[in-house]
């Protein structure tokens, strides 16, 4: 453990590993509860720059999502979440992190962006869609909102 965590770190210890970077939870005076560890990890995940891109208009979809193909020469598949929340949900952030190397670009339209929602036939929140290519194909997700179901949907889109 010490070879991964670094010298001087007392073991046992907790750490997060995101994008290959180890961040040790190092508060000697506090025994962290499971909730505190979860919150620490969630905060670290949400702090990853560019993991989920905020979009507020059709132009943002074109430039920020569809204009940023993760792999040159590959068709862009943008996953767009319409939400009435003001912050990225931990579930969506973890989904984006888990599938970050599968050729997807993740975006979200927050806080009831009604005009953009109208363009995609939004009737209720949340709405998750996949925009394939230059929006030539739009696939709506209509399954359960849990990690396994969402990952299975993304795995199907990746094929």
């Amino acid at each position: 453990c010490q070879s991964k965590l670094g010298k001087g770190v007392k073991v046992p210890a907790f750490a997060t590993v995101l994008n290959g970077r180890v961040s040790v939870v190092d508060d000697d005076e506090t025994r962290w509860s499971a909730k505190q560890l979860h919150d620490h990890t969630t905060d670290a995940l949400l702090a990853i720059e560019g993991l989920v891109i905020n979009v507020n208009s059709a132009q943002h979809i074109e430039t920020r999502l569809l204009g940023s193909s993760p792999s040159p020469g590959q068709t862009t598949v943008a996953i767009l979440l319409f939400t009435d929340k003001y912050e990225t949900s931990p579930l969506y952030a973890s989904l984006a992190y888990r599938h970050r190397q599968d050729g997807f670009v993740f975006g979200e339209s927050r806080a009831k962006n009604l005009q953009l929602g109208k363009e995609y036939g939004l009737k209720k929140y949340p709405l998750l869609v996949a925009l394939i290519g230059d929006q030539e194909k739009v696939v709506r997700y209509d399954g359960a909102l849990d990690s396994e179901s969402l990952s299975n949907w993304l795995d199907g889109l990746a094929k």
Side-chain angles (χ1 to χ4, degrees):
C1 286
Q2 286 185 326
S3 68
K4 298 287 183 196
L5 298 176
K7 294 186 181 208
V9 175
K10 295 178 187 174
V11 278
F14 290 99
T16 56
V17 180
L18 296 170
N19 286 338
R21 191 170 144 249
V22 177
S23 176
V24 177
V25 176
D26 60 355
D27 188 350
D28 289 338
E29 299 187 18
T30 305
R31 287 208 179 260
W32 286 46
S33 69
K35 181 174 179 0
Q36 287 171 311
L37 288 171
H38 175 269
D39 291 347
H40 171 80
T41 303
T42 300
D43 290 345
L45 184 63
L46 293 171
I48 296 174
E49 185 74 29
L51 184 64
V52 177
I53 301 164
N54 190 25
V55 296
N56 296 314
S57 66
Q59 182 181 3
H60 285 170
I61 290 172
E62 289 293 325
T63 58
R64 295 180 183 178
L65 295 183
L66 298 173
S68 62
S69 177
S71 304
Q74 184 180 7
T75 301
T76 299
V77 178
I79 308 301
L80 179 59
L81 174 67
F82 292 90
T83 179
D84 57 351
K85 308 292 185 220
Y86 287 88
E87 294 185 11
T88 303
S89 78
L91 175 61
Y92 193 58
S94 68
L95 189 71
Y97 184 78
R98 182 181 310 161
H99 292 277
R100 70 194 181 283
Q101 296 179 358
D102 293 345
F104 299 113
V105 178
F106 289 84
E108 71 181 334
S109 177
R110 301 181 189 157
K112 294 185 177 181
N113 185 328
L114 298 176
Q115 181 163 348
L116 191 56
K118 268 188 203 177
E119 294 183 37
Y120 291 91
L122 174 69
K123 296 202 185 333
K124 70 176 194 166
Y125 293 99
L127 171 65
L128 187 64
V129 297
L131 309 173
I132 302 170
D134 290 330
Q135 299 187 61
E136 57 208 36
K137 184 175 180 187
V138 177
V139 179
R140 294 171 71 106
Y141 177 74
D142 61 2
L145 293 175
D146 63 72
S147 183
E148 185 177 345
S149 299
L150 291 163
S151 283
N152 288 340
W153 181 66
L154 290 175
D155 291 342
L157 290 172
K159 292 178 182 176

